[in-house]
Amino acid sequence: MSGIILDWSEALVEKLDDSESRPAGVAEPHYTVSEKVTISRDNGIYVYHLPDDQLGQGSSLGNSRVWAETKGNGDMLNLYSIKAARRVVGGMSITYLLPFSDLSVYGQHELADSQHKSLNRAMPSAVGAIHLHPAYQQREFVVGDGLHVLETFFVPRTDGLDDPAAALEVVSLWNRTPHPIEIVVVASLSLRGHTPIDMHAQFDKSRNAIITWNETSQDMVRVFGSMDKPKHYWATNDKDAAYHPKHPLPDETSDTGNLTGALQFNLLLYPGAHQKVRVIAAFSHDGKSKALDEFDRAKGEEDALKKTISYYSSQLAKSVIEMPDDMLTHGVQWAKSCLIRPVCHYEIGTASTNDPGNSSHIVGRDTCWYVHGCDFIEPEWSCSMLSILSRFQRADGLIPEYIDGNTGETEDFGFNINDATALFIMAVEHHIKCTAHWQCLEKLYESAKKAGELILGQMNENGLVKCNAIGLGSKAICGWRNVLQNQSISGVVTEINSECFAALRSLSNLAEMASKKEDAKRYKEEADALRARINKHLVNPDNGLYVLNISHEGNTYTQTTCDLVFPLICGVANESTADNVIARLAEADFMTDAGIRVLPSDDPEYDPSFESGCMGGVWQGVTWWYAMAAAGSDPEIMANSLSRAYSHYILDPKAYNTVPGQFSEWSDGQTLVNRGMRLSPWDSPRFLWAAIEGLAGLKFRTDGIDLQPNIPLDWQWLRVHDVKYRDGSISLFLARHAGSIHVFSANSLDGKFELHIYDEELEHAPEAITTGITCSAFRKNKETLLCFGSSLNKPVMGPFLAHHSLSSGKQYRVHALASHHREWQDLGTNKGSDLQRLAVRIGKRTYVIYRFEEV
């Protein structure tokens, strides 16, 4: 089959594909990743699968206007308005009913008026399946002897963040029995959300929708309807009858109060027939007309799911890191998905809250860490977030603890210094070095300088940065654990001083990039002096570890906590101290199967769940910090830490209250059960940052790129593809061979390896047909290089489609290099027409590279 025919056939299949009517990842084999969970690919995207009785909570999905959470069975739990900062509707339920006469004791009173007018609920015949795709969630099950049901829930998301304020659930039904099936589908929705109990409703026949509003807020309008005409409808206070009716719905909307809306669809499916019902919940804060516009937008876009998938696919194709540890490869993809979901439009700009679905607060520290991952996916979002922090910066240079995204109100707790101020400077430097957004440097330099001058103004007599906050609780904790209510972490805090050193070093680099030589020199000197003072005054001589803080009273608190990571990731610690810290945090009282505890379990103050886990819970994001801290000295620890903490999301979702692929916040330090938010917006960016700058070891200088890979010794290969960098991207394939590291790339990279430079990375590499095998393709002059890596735990013969990489009208001299070869193997000359489809044998978790030279 020629390449043109292959391309045409793929394009036709993509055009005809109906994602609403097929389970995600159904076409490819499912691989076991834990006792409860399997994984497969769907058009190149990794999708998780598990039984539908093994998920305690469902996906969290968002767009620029809304945030939706789902139940473990896939139905919507609530829909949150970004603009109103509240839940505007509650949960949705889809029930299936059969029009039969009920002869059970519960239905005896119905017999007088039976004639099949009574409705009896039909439950799934067996355990079904949940499919978790980055763009949507599905539930698949069977009713009776062969009515197959697929429910798909999603929030429309498109490029440009021009999204409707709506969520959709699509029900697809197939009759795979030899007889006709009459089925009633009832979609019900709790219409009030977190608003007053004073709702009114009416039915719009032209739109097949129930319209509801509050008596005390008539501009807050919801629309609950369908693309298909319901047979009956109801808005009622009788909640049980709404989702589980005994009779057809009465077509009434006269009730007021705490309303539930219900839409009834009567379907008749002949053998082999397939039907769909699409249900939409939409809203607006600007009156009925605008709410109907939102509904019409969602209703009129029949390809909404396909476009949402296309958007996620394009984002997930950026900054790809693939490696022999397939758990980490999956984690990198899902980190990008979780990074995308919470970004939305606030009144003050594009940003992400730290608590989606509950808050509109844009938190300073979380936003700065978010930028470290966002720069590799959507740098323009980073521009917006840093601009917001700059605009709301206090006059003396302090970055607020948080800013309300809708009102612009700020809270700084009266701090003279906090971590957000230092992290802001670090984030600005990261953004400029990665993106070369010189206009951002021009706009943000003075804000960064103001923050730097604030830092220098808070030095005590020992030249250390001192926080003056007193008391207990949030107003007395200037670092990341500020949710503690009965603690004080103030005075000279090692965490803050470490970040201030990194901030001054970053400010020196920013000044260099802005051609402000004197500033650059001054801030570098200040940074170096601060680092020396930290290592002189804040190291405990008894154990070689950093102290927690020195209080206002002069008391030195030596409590060993996870905050030891900060001197390492900020570059303060020398090699011996860093080794001490890494070893201490790896001990069993700190390290768990889910990651690092905040306090070790032997500490008298250890509490596994108190104060949001900040006295002994496991914060997965802290484990990402620890991985970065260990990267340079012990790559094994880094890779293991990342894999260990990410795999906890997949291990046993129902027992641990996790969602596979979704980066939740923190877990109980003893039971390891997730106790924090379902999706923590600042965790996934830090994971991505750790993978790109830690594992892959891409180090961005003001004048170039260093590559310092930090991969375990048993990793034979690593693939990096399309990591966003300035006006281009970075791609490479790394291979260990004969005791050396070889890097194949079209980028100029500096480091201790043998670099093989090519003119370009091919836009279309050979298409992998086997899950777990990946490929990079490079070209120079008349040479094409194909690099194949496998994460599979067994040797495999991997088929590939190579028609985009090799011309059928040419001849090629072929050489091969596998990890076990001493040198390149000459495979002779082949016609290009014979190389359009390749079968490549790859060993367990290793690589093979082919060089094709045109003859």
Side-chain angles (χ1 to χ4, degrees):
M1 184 182 295
S2 73
I4 293 176
I5 295 174
L6 282 170
D7 290 345
W8 272 97
S9 63
E10 288 175 359
L12 180 61
V13 169
E14 182 179 353
K15 181 70 175 177
L16 297 176
D17 182 37
D18 181 5
S19 302
E20 297 176 349
S21 298
R22 63 167 177 81
V26 67
E28 297 207 19
H30 292 201
Y31 295 87
T32 299
V33 287
S34 76
E35 185 178 341
K36 309 290 186 181
V37 182
T38 61
I39 197 167
S40 69
R41 292 188 309 176
D42 189 283
N43 293 316
I45 293 177
Y46 289 107
V47 178
Y48 287 113
H49 315 272
L50 68 166
D52 67 356
D53 62 352
Q54 293 299 316
L55 194 62
Q57 58 182 0
S59 299
S60 300
L61 300 167
N63 67 21
S64 61
R65 312 278 297 285
V66 307
W67 182 258
E69 294 177 332
T70 64
K71 308 167 190 175
N73 67 1
D75 287 340
M76 185 171 73
L77 178 65
N78 57 67
L79 188 62
Y80 178 90
S81 164
I82 303 301
K83 183 176 180 179
R86 69 167 67 178
R87 296 176 183 178
V88 291
V89 298
M92 185 185 294
S93 179
I94 308 293
T95 50
Y96 303 87
L97 303 111
L98 299 173
F100 289 122
S101 298
D102 189 351
L103 295 180
S104 71
V105 294
Y106 300 105
Q108 288 179 356
H109 63 284
E110 307 288 351
L111 289 177
D113 185 31
S114 65
Q115 308 237 334
H116 304 323
K117 290 182 180 179
S118 64
L119 302 176
N120 298 278
R121 190 170 183 182
M123 304 297 285
S125 305
V127 174
I130 293 289
H131 310 293
L132 300 169
H133 186 284
Y136 57 93
Q137 176 168 326
Q138 291 179 316
R139 183 191 183 200
E140 179 186 11
F141 57 92
V142 178
V143 172
D145 60 344
L147 179 63
H148 287 247
V149 181
L150 180 67
E151 299 173 345
T152 303
F153 177 83
F154 71 102
V155 171
R157 182 129 207 179
T158 56
D159 200 7
L161 299 181
D162 180 23
D163 307 312
L168 290 85
E169 182 141 8
V170 182
V171 180
S172 292
L173 304 101
W174 296 263
N175 181 359
R176 291 175 178 162
T177 75
H179 53 79
I181 296 178
E182 188 177 354
I183 188 78
V184 173
V185 179
V186 172
S188 57
L189 177 67
S190 178
L191 295 166
R192 183 172 64 90
H194 288 181
T195 65
I197 305 177
D198 60 355
M199 300 202 71
H200 294 255
Q202 66 182 75
F203 187 76
D204 186 328
K205 292 184 178 180
S206 67
R207 287 182 169 84
N208 306 319
I210 297 171
I211 303 170
T212 63
W213 63 95
N214 291 88
E215 177 75 27
T216 52
S217 181
Q218 298 192 17
D219 286 340
M220 180 62 254
V221 178
R222 295 77 140 180
V223 184
F224 177 48
S226 174
M227 296 182 182
D228 313 281
K229 184 178 181 179
K231 181 69 173 178
H232 299 288
Y233 59 88
W234 197 14
T236 177
N237 289 313
D238 190 345
K239 294 187 178 296
D240 280 357
Y243 80 88
H244 187 182
K246 301 295 186 182
H247 298 282
L249 301 180
D251 300 333
E252 290 285 345
T253 59
S254 58
D255 281 4
T256 60
N258 190 5
L259 297 181
T260 297
L263 303 171
Q264 176 182 328
F265 303 88
N266 291 8
L267 307 178
L268 177 60
L269 286 87
Y270 290 99
H274 167 228
Q275 289 194 44
K276 286 196 287 190
V277 174
R278 296 183 181 89
V279 180
I280 303 163
F283 65 88
S284 174
H285 310 277
D286 300 317
K288 178 179 176 180
S289 177
K290 290 290 187 181
L292 292 173
D293 288 346
E294 296 292 339
F295 176 79
D296 290 343
R297 279 187 66 192
K299 180 179 178 180
E301 188 59 79
E302 291 194 10
D303 288 335
L305 179 58
K306 184 172 286 190
K307 290 182 177 179
T308 299
I309 295 170
S310 176
Y311 172 74
Y312 274 91
S313 297
S314 66
Q315 297 286 36
L316 300 182
K318 302 173 184 177
S319 296
V320 174
I321 310 291
E322 295 178 300
M323 58 212 97
D325 187 328
D326 54 3
M327 185 68 73
L328 288 178
T329 296
H330 306 157
V332 169
Q333 178 208 271
W334 277 90
K336 290 178 283 187
S337 169
C338 293
L339 182 152
I340 292 164
R341 291 178 183 178
V343 175
C344 56
H345 282 318
Y346 289 102
E347 295 296 310
I348 65 173
T350 299
S352 170
T353 179
N354 79 325
D355 192 2
N358 292 299
S359 172
S360 57
H361 290 171
I362 300 168
V363 175
R365 87 178 51 79
D366 298 16
T367 298
C368 293
W369 282 114
Y370 187 95
V371 165
H372 283 70
C374 188
D375 279 338
F376 300 119
I377 304 299
E378 281 290 352
E380 296 300 328
W381 293 351
S382 295
C383 293
S384 174
M385 295 180 200
L386 292 170
S387 176
I388 289 170
L389 295 181
S390 172
R391 279 163 36 214
F392 290 91
Q393 185 178 28
R394 209 168 65 188
D396 65 356
L398 188 103
I399 297 298
E401 288 291 296
Y402 63 81
I403 306 157
D404 189 288
N406 291 320
T407 67
E409 294 178 2
T410 64
E411 177 59 76
D412 58 32
F413 294 140
F415 286 135
N416 65 306
I417 191 67
N418 62 0
D419 61 341
T421 300
L423 294 171
F424 171 71
I425 303 173
M426 295 162 61
V428 172
E429 186 215 9
H430 188 276
H431 180 62
I432 303 303
K433 284 201 302 188
C434 291
T435 67
H437 283 180
W438 305 121
Q439 72 278 15
C440 282
L441 177 60
E442 184 177 345
K443 293 177 182 177
L444 297 173
Y445 180 74
E446 288 304 319
S447 289
K449 183 175 180 179
K450 189 187 297 185
E453 291 299 327
L454 178 70
I455 289 171
L456 294 175
Q458 311 310 309
M459 302 286 191
N460 69 0
E461 65 278 4
N462 289 324
L464 296 168
V465 178
K466 182 179 180 181
C467 176
N468 296 330
I470 59 175
L472 297 174
S474 297
K475 296 181 180 181
I477 300 173
C478 52
W480 81 274
R481 288 194 287 151
N482 67 339
V483 296
L484 294 171
Q485 296 304 304
N486 194 41
Q487 300 289 328
S488 172
I489 307 177
S490 186
V492 177
V493 182
T494 299
E495 171 194 349
I496 302 302
N497 276 268
S498 300
E499 291 166 342
C500 286
F501 157 73
L504 291 171
R505 184 182 55 185
S506 293
L507 187 53
S508 174
N509 291 334
L510 287 170
E512 189 75 34
M513 288 187 279
S515 299
K516 299 181 183 294
K517 303 298 184 183
E518 289 301 315
D519 281 359
K521 181 175 181 293
R522 175 178 171 236
Y523 292 126
K524 183 181 185 304
E525 291 173 351
E526 293 285 3
D528 291 342
L530 178 57
R531 179 176 185 264
R533 292 190 290 264
I534 293 171
N535 285 315
K536 178 180 179 181
H537 296 287
L538 297 180
V539 176
N540 181 357
D542 293 334
N543 60 13
L545 302 175
Y546 290 94
V547 303
L548 180 65
N549 69 310
I550 301 174
S551 72
H552 298 296
E553 298 79 19
N555 297 320
T556 299
Y557 291 98
T558 61
Q559 185 177 45
T560 303
T561 76
C562 69
D563 295 353
L564 286 171
V565 299
F566 290 106
L568 278 65
I569 60 178
C570 292
V572 171
N574 58 37
E575 184 175 347
S576 62
T577 308
D579 288 345
N580 286 340
V581 169
I582 292 166
R584 178 65 186 94
L585 293 177
E587 292 179 14
D589 58 344
F590 262 116
M591 186 63 75
T592 74
D593 290 339
I596 291 179
R597 294 184 178 102
V598 175
L599 262 64
S601 57
D602 292 338
D603 189 309
E605 289 192 337
Y606 165 75
D607 188 312
S609 61
F610 184 62
E611 303 277 37
S612 297
C614 284
M615 293 298 288
V618 175
W619 283 68
Q620 277 75 19
V622 173
T623 308
W624 319 147
W625 280 333
Y626 174 68
M628 283 296 284
S633 61
D634 197 328
E636 295 276 355
I637 287 181
M638 176 176 205
N640 179 267
S641 298
L642 292 174
S643 185
R644 173 199 301 257
Y646 178 74
S647 65
H648 184 67
Y649 300 140
I650 288 94
L651 185 61
D652 192 336
K654 188 173 184 179
Y656 292 123
N657 197 33
T658 57
V659 180
Q662 193 159 287
F663 285 66
S664 53
E665 188 181 25
W666 66 273
S667 302
D668 185 289
Q670 209 68 28
T671 66
L672 305 184
V673 172
N674 173 39
R675 301 281 299 271
M677 66 182 75
R678 294 161 169 249
L679 188 154
S680 175
W682 69 316
D683 275 14
S684 56
R686 285 181 287 168
F687 184 93
L688 185 61
W689 166 67
I692 292 173
E693 299 188 38
L695 273 176
L698 289 170
K699 307 296 183 184
F700 304 96
R701 307 191 313 267
T702 56
D703 59 348
I705 312 165
D706 289 330
L707 178 65
Q708 302 171 13
N710 300 300
I711 59 175
L713 287 174
D714 64 342
W715 285 18
Q716 299 299 306
W717 64 275
L718 180 82
R719 178 177 183 250
V720 173
H721 172 68
D722 195 28
V723 169
K724 297 304 172 186
Y725 176 67
R726 302 196 170 184
D727 57 353
S729 63
I730 302 166
S731 297
L732 62 92
F733 190 91
L734 178 152
R736 290 189 192 272
H737 183 254
S740 300
I741 290 180
H742 294 256
V743 175
F744 304 88
S745 178
N747 300 100
S748 178
L749 304 165
D750 298 322
K752 297 178 180 179
F753 48 81
E754 187 171 339
L755 179 63
H756 306 265
I757 282 284
Y758 286 76
D759 295 334
E760 62 175 332
E761 182 191 28
L762 299 188
E763 182 179 357
H764 297 290
E767 185 177 335
I769 297 175
T770 303
T771 299
I773 297 180
T774 188
C775 179
S776 288
F778 301 97
R779 181 173 290 154
K780 64 179 177 182
N781 299 323
K782 293 186 176 183
E783 178 186 321
T784 299
L785 190 80
L786 304 184
C787 308
F788 300 93
S790 171
S791 62
L792 298 175
N793 285 315
K794 60 181 179 181
V796 66
M797 179 69 77
F800 290 84
L801 304 177
H803 57 286
H804 287 299
S805 305
L806 302 172
S807 172
S808 61
K810 296 180 179 179
Q811 284 193 321
Y812 296 91
R813 186 67 175 266
V814 184
H815 293 79
L817 180 70
S819 59
H820 61 278
H821 290 159
R822 286 181 170 271
E823 56 188 23
W824 288 89
Q825 308 291 305
D826 188 343
L827 303 184
T829 301
N830 291 264
K831 295 179 181 179
S833 57
D834 295 334
L835 299 173
Q836 301 300 288
R837 290 178 289 178
L838 303 175
V840 177
R841 181 173 293 280
I842 310 177
K844 172 184 175 181
R845 302 179 76 222
T846 187
Y847 68 85
V848 62
I849 301 172
Y850 289 88
R851 188 172 67 219
F852 299 84
E853 295 172 290
E854 295 178 20
V855 177

